[in-house]
Amino acid sequence: MSSTPRHPADADCFKCGLEETTEESAVVFRDPLWTAQTVPGYSVPGWFVLRARRQPNG
């Protein structure tokens, strides 16, 4: 797969907001399907969030 499946960003969607605003310095791992990153407000030393970079429409 050459790129991340995209959908229109939803301003109320937490996952969409992370995809659009994440600073590269917060990213631990990223590929076309997954991102592991630290998230502001969930700052615990050594912890990160693993999230899918896709979302079903609906």
Side-chain angles (χ1 to χ4, degrees):
M1 186 173 280
S2 61
S3 65
T4 302
R6 301 296 295 174
H7 60 84
D10 181 348
D12 295 327
C13 176
F14 179 72
K15 286 175 53 176
C16 294
L18 286 176
E19 186 67 29
E20 300 298 322
T21 62
T22 298
E23 295 180 23
E24 288 301 313
S25 63
V27 175
V28 176
F29 170 82
R30 178 180 284 154
D31 73 7
L33 299 176
W34 299 96
T35 296
Q37 69 186 86
T38 59
V39 178
Y42 295 92
S43 302
V44 177
W47 285 26
F48 57 89
V49 174
L50 177 64
R51 63 178 177 84
R53 295 186 68 198
R54 58 204 178 281
Q55 179 175 338
N57 292 331

